[in-house]
Amino acid sequence: MLSLNHDDHVDATSGPYDLLLPASYRTPDDDIAVPTLTTSFLQKELGVKRLNDIHRWMWIVGRPMPPRPLYHQKAIGRQIVVHEQMDLHLVWDEQRIFLKPIPPYLFEQSFWRDILSCDGHELASGSRQACTRPEDSTHFKEMTHFPDGDNCDRCELRKLATGFTLTYTSLIAYESDLSIAKKCNLVPEEMTWPQWRSLVKSLLSTTLSSDHPASSPRNHAVNPRYHYGELRLNRLNLIYRLTLRAPIRGYLYGHNSYHQFWTANMQRLAAAFAYTVVVLTAMQMGLETDRLGENKHFQNASYGFAVFSIVAPLVLLGLTGVLFLGVFTVNWVISTRYWMRRMVQIEKGNERIGAIP
């Protein structure tokens, strides 16, 4: 599907894609390991499970349309932040948008054929026939899992990879976009504009609907996450908190320190205090007029709001303190449990190393 020549090659017997993989990756147990082409590694690299879990709420988070080009992202003042976590790709807030660079192995046509396809014509033809095990793919035989359904792990990984690469066909629409992408290390520096146009043409001709060639990709060709483009971070956080998937941290926790927590909450309190001052000043001026000064309803309202303005800041400050204690307690419990579990894993690892003759 995609092809880009590289100067460095590795003997196929030792792994033809070794130089295209990351130097290391973090396992679910937080160990650092050398990446190999297994299902678990590629699912970690390409998976978007957190977004698939809330797919029915995605209409709140973003529009079902391709992302806008990089020049537009810069024009509206968004900082392009490189992030290697796939489920943060195209997630944005007021000042930034997260983008995952295209992994080098996705530029290799042989990778799509050997690793991401069980049936060479299954995806292009649009059929949904059961995948068949390739007899000549002994090097990657460990990757294929055959469930009772009609798709294997490779086909699901292909949908993820196809959806991800399709986002770049809209992100890099003009030569100026390619220049921005190179500066942000989103694509290889040696990529030329004619090469990119050829890659986009090849990808779109394979995945776009034949009935509507200018429309969106076939639904079954991509993971459902990629039916949507840019996603709002604040709404993702809200959904994750309201659905109790992560009631404290949300989708992406915004506070890296307790100082940031207090600063953000004090700013909200300061804004509320400023509004209260404006209202009290206006009420004081109204009481000095003959019409409002003699109005009992206005006097009662002024009296009630004056009491409220004294009590409310104290209540809000107290609630902020309670919230802080809750966050601190949860973080302390999580950190303690993680520390205990991690120490057990380290001790078991030391025992295994000591048992090696």
Side-chain angles (χ1 to χ4, degrees):
M1 183 177 294
L2 302 179
S3 179
L4 181 65
N5 294 327
H6 293 268
D7 295 333
D8 298 326
H9 295 279
V10 179
D11 193 325
T13 58
S14 63
Y17 306 109
D18 284 355
L19 291 183
L20 306 180
L21 300 179
S24 64
Y25 82 104
R26 189 178 297 270
T27 68
D29 293 330
D30 280 338
D31 293 324
I32 303 301
V34 177
T36 56
L37 287 176
T38 61
T39 301
S40 58
F41 167 72
L42 288 178
Q43 284 176 343
K44 182 176 177 60
E45 279 284 292
L46 304 175
V48 288
K49 183 180 182 301
R50 291 201 300 166
L51 293 174
N52 290 152
D53 288 344
I54 60 169
H55 183 72
R56 66 173 183 167
W57 302 106
M58 290 287 281
W59 62 275
I60 301 176
V61 180
R63 295 181 179 179
M65 59 180 287
R68 290 166 291 185
L70 293 178
Y71 79 85
H72 180 83
Q73 305 294 339
K74 301 285 286 187
I76 60 179
R78 290 180 185 167
Q79 177 189 3
I80 296 175
V81 178
V82 174
H83 205 297
E84 295 291 349
Q85 191 170 321
M86 185 64 80
D87 57 14
L88 287 177
H89 180 62
L90 294 176
V91 174
W92 63 274
D93 60 16
E94 292 80 3
Q95 299 178 339
R96 57 190 176 169
I97 182 170
F98 298 106
L99 295 177
K100 178 179 173 65
I102 302 179
Y105 49 80
L106 290 184
F107 286 106
E108 296 295 332
Q109 186 176 8
S110 58
F111 183 88
W112 292 80
R113 181 185 65 248
D114 297 337
I115 308 301
L116 299 181
S117 178
C118 290
D119 183 347
H121 59 80
E122 187 271 338
L123 198 66
S125 65
S127 65
R128 291 188 56 87
Q129 57 186 312
C131 297
T132 57
R133 184 188 298 273
E135 299 297 334
D136 58 347
S137 185
T138 56
H139 184 72
F140 304 106
K141 191 174 293 185
E142 69 201 56
M143 279 205 46
T144 309
H145 167 65
F146 292 87
D148 296 333
D150 59 357
N151 280 339
C152 69
D153 285 348
R154 294 194 187 194
C155 293
E156 295 305 318
L157 289 171
R158 187 183 181 97
K159 292 179 182 180
L160 288 165
T162 301
F164 169 70
T165 51
L166 276 172
T167 64
Y168 272 94
T169 64
S170 55
L171 286 171
I172 306 178
Y174 296 90
E175 194 167 359
S176 58
D177 296 321
L178 181 61
S179 177
I180 297 172
K182 288 182 179 180
K183 291 179 182 178
C184 296
N185 296 317
L186 299 175
V187 297
E189 183 64 32
E190 62 269 21
M191 175 73 70
T192 64
W193 180 242
Q195 280 180 315
W196 180 253
R197 292 192 75 253
S198 177
L199 296 180
V200 171
K201 182 178 179 181
S202 174
L203 183 61
L204 293 182
S205 63
T206 303
T207 57
L208 288 184
S209 171
S210 57
D211 297 331
H212 303 281
S215 65
S216 59
R218 301 187 187 114
N219 286 341
H220 69 268
V222 300
N223 184 276
R225 178 266 175 266
Y226 295 105
H227 299 167
Y228 297 85
E230 304 164 29
L231 307 177
R232 294 173 179 261
L233 178 57
N234 60 343
R235 296 185 183 179
L236 283 172
N237 283 330
L238 180 63
I239 290 173
Y240 256 72
R241 290 188 174 115
L242 292 180
T243 58
L244 301 182
R245 287 177 169 84
I248 299 296
R249 293 182 172 270
Y251 190 80
L252 180 64
Y253 196 52
H255 302 138
N256 296 320
S257 66
Y258 292 123
H259 172 74
Q260 291 181 336
F261 173 87
W262 280 108
T263 299
N265 284 282
M266 288 300 104
Q267 288 176 348
R268 297 187 183 98
L269 289 176
F273 177 76
Y275 176 76
T276 302
V277 170
V278 171
V279 174
L280 287 174
T281 302
M283 284 184 168
Q284 183 178 5
M285 294 180 63
L287 289 172
E288 293 179 356
T289 63
D290 295 337
R291 184 173 181 178
L292 293 178
E294 298 177 357
N295 189 305
K296 292 184 179 181
H297 295 292
F298 185 78
Q299 290 178 355
N300 292 335
S302 300
Y303 172 79
F305 192 81
V307 175
F308 171 80
S309 64
I310 296 173
V311 176
L314 298 177
V315 173
L316 292 176
L317 187 61
L319 292 176
T320 303
V322 172
L323 178 61
F324 169 77
L325 289 177
V327 172
F328 179 84
T329 302
V330 170
N331 288 339
W332 184 82
V333 171
I334 293 175
S335 298
T336 302
R337 289 180 177 177
Y338 175 82
W339 177 83
M340 296 174 63
R341 184 176 69 253
R342 185 64 176 165
M343 288 300 103
V344 171
Q345 293 173 350
I346 292 175
E347 290 177 3
K348 289 182 178 179
N350 291 336
E351 291 176 358
R352 286 196 299 267
I353 294 175
I356 297 177

